[in-house]
Amino acid sequence: MEIPGPDLALPLYFLLMFTIIVVDVILPIVPSELMVIAAGTMASHGNLFLPAAVLVATTGSWVGDLALFLLFRRRLTHWLDRFRWGRSVHGGLRRAVEKAGKSPTYAGLVAVRFLPGGRTASVAAAGIAEVALRPFMVLTALGACLWAAWLLGLGYLTGASTGLPLWVSIVLGTAVGTLVGLVTAAVLGLRQRRRSKAAGAGETGETASPDSR
């Protein structure tokens, strides 16, 4: 997979990557992870400057987070409801928040973005809960930086260590990143279900105890 000369191709790639990362927070099906992993792999092959990729990926993630946060915090989601596609997007965002919970934690703003759909759910939940703007901006900037470093590092190490063609390294890095996210989500989901069952059993026991006396 040959990459055209850097005079035009790299600025266009960075612009496309930035746009996709911003949009991905509203439409999680957009492959932003693929674009970032590919950038890391291209950096390992000497096709682009890695620090520039870190800056673009981090900024795109942070800008997208802020846009979605303000959309929910300022209750501007009625704008989405004017359009058929907007109602579909709004419904998807609401379902993601319901699944993840409406009470975000500060740690969640950093960590949950590494799970599939976690970035969207945690940011939207923070907007609904009206989390203070300043800590939100700081924590999402930290989360965006760690997210970019993880995906770019994954792409870079895959490309540098395997010696495979560029497109094979990109596919391999994407597969590893997706697998790690899915396994982590499955483990956390299992733990959450166990906690819910334990809490339900405890409540049942407390309810039944007065009748047994």
Side-chain angles (χ1 to χ4, degrees), residues 9-19 39 48-49 52-54 56:
L10 292 186
L12 289 177
Y13 186 87
F14 282 143
L15 178 60
L16 179 61
M17 184 171 73
F18 176 86
T19 303
L48 58 76
F49 188 46
V54 173
V56 172

Side-chain angles (χ1 to χ4, degrees), residues 1-212:
M1 180 177 178
E2 296 294 332
I3 302 298
D7 52 342
L8 180 61
L10 292 186
L12 289 177
Y13 186 87
F14 282 143
L15 178 60
L16 179 61
M17 184 171 73
F18 176 86
T19 303
I20 287 179
I21 294 172
V22 171
V23 173
D24 180 61
V25 74
I26 298 177
L27 297 172
I29 60 172
V30 177
S32 63
E33 290 83 0
L34 174 61
M35 294 289 295
V36 181
I37 291 172
T41 305
M42 286 190 284
S44 73
H45 285 248
N47 295 113
L48 58 76
F49 188 46
L50 185 60
V54 173
L55 178 61
V56 172
T58 300
T59 304
S61 181
W62 185 79
V63 169
D65 290 353
L66 184 59
L68 182 63
F69 173 75
L70 294 176
L71 187 68
F72 276 89
R73 191 169 188 264
R74 298 181 181 276
R75 294 175 174 80
L76 299 177
T77 49
H78 64 274
W79 178 80
L80 291 174
D81 295 333
R82 297 179 180 179
F83 312 97
R84 179 178 298 177
W85 64 266
R87 289 191 292 272
S88 177
V89 170
H90 190 187
L93 293 172
R94 287 288 181 179
R95 287 191 293 273
V97 173
E98 292 292 339
K99 184 177 180 180
K102 293 183 179 181
S103 301
T105 63
Y106 285 140
L109 289 172
V110 177
V112 178
R113 71 180 56 243
F114 292 93
L115 304 178
R119 177 188 175 205
T120 299
S122 62
V123 171
I128 292 172
E130 297 186 354
V131 170
L133 180 60
R134 183 173 296 179
F136 173 85
M137 293 175 67
V138 172
L139 289 168
T140 50
L142 174 60
C145 186
L146 293 174
W147 176 83
W150 154 245
L151 293 178
L152 286 165
L154 179 61
Y156 190 94
L157 290 175
T158 302
S161 61
T162 62
L164 296 171
L166 179 59
W167 72 270
V168 178
S169 298
I170 293 172
V171 171
L172 180 60
T174 302
V176 172
T178 301
L179 180 61
V180 169
L182 291 175
V183 169
T184 304
V187 171
L188 293 177
L190 180 61
R191 292 179 61 183
Q192 182 64 34
R193 284 194 294 272
R194 287 177 176 175
R195 289 197 194 101
S196 299
K197 288 181 180 179
E203 291 176 358
T204 302
E206 290 176 1
T207 303
S209 60
D211 296 335
S212 62

